[in-house]
Amino acid sequence: MQRPDVTAQILDAKRRNGLSFTQIAEQTGADRVWLTAALLGQHPLSAEQAASVARLLDLSDDAAAVLQEIPPRGSFEALPPTDPTIYRLYEALQVYGPALKALIHEDFGDGIMSAINFNLAIDRRDTDAGPRVRITLDGKFLPYQWGG
């Protein structure tokens, strides 16, 4: 059994049981953004998390074991991505990425924002002009260190 097979099983069970990713996260006690990424194949689950997801979605022990394996990360099969929602995020980084980089360096110095020590949140904001998406990236600053 491979990770894409388990992801397909998860999506089938989610649909069959009428569950949202948010409901699955609430029932397993995990952050909804992190768990959604994990269920889509981007993070390994702990044994406890995998068991909880397997119980909730009626997955096999083999599937739970696969959920605990460290996956190859990254979901782009081609660049630029073709899914419109993902493409718009990619486009936003193409346009604003250099400015974000310049401002990170200006505010913090020479370094990067970690995507390993990282949190991400997505929220809906209702405004008079219609709904808006708020995405918060919260990464630890890691300064470049040269030499030993």
Side-chain angles (χ1 to χ4, degrees):
M1 180 176 305
Q2 299 296 314
R3 189 62 182 85
D5 302 320
V6 176
T7 298
Q9 290 178 19
I10 288 167
L11 294 175
D12 287 343
K14 177 183 164 293
R15 187 172 30 257
R16 186 174 54 253
N17 293 307
L19 294 170
S20 68
F21 285 117
T22 299
Q23 290 169 320
I24 297 168
E26 288 170 351
Q27 292 188 41
T28 59
D31 175 82
R32 76 183 187 122
V33 175
W34 182 89
L35 186 67
T36 300
L39 296 178
L40 294 174
Q42 297 301 308
H43 302 297
L45 276 65
S46 69
E48 182 180 314
Q49 291 167 325
S52 180
V53 167
R55 274 192 305 277
L56 180 63
L57 300 178
D58 195 29
L59 302 175
S60 69
D61 290 342
D62 287 343
V66 170
L67 289 173
Q68 296 172 64
E69 296 173 359
I70 298 170
R73 289 182 173 97
S75 60
F76 294 142
E77 294 178 14
L79 289 177
T82 57
D83 178 85
T85 303
I86 296 171
Y87 179 80
R88 292 299 176 233
L89 293 169
Y90 177 81
E91 179 182 51
L93 284 176
Q94 284 185 310
V95 172
Y96 291 101
L100 292 170
K101 176 184 174 13
L103 293 170
I104 287 169
H105 292 303
E106 189 173 289
D107 292 349
F108 295 90
D110 190 13
I112 62 170
M113 179 182 72
S114 173
I116 295 172
N117 188 335
F118 186 78
N119 292 307
L120 185 143
I122 185 167
D123 299 294
R124 178 187 175 116
R125 288 184 40 231
D126 291 314
T127 70
D128 292 340
R132 298 190 58 89
V133 178
R134 177 181 291 162
I135 299 172
T136 304
L137 307 175
D138 183 1
K140 180 179 180 179
F141 177 73
L142 299 174
Y144 282 109
Q145 298 177 351
W146 307 105

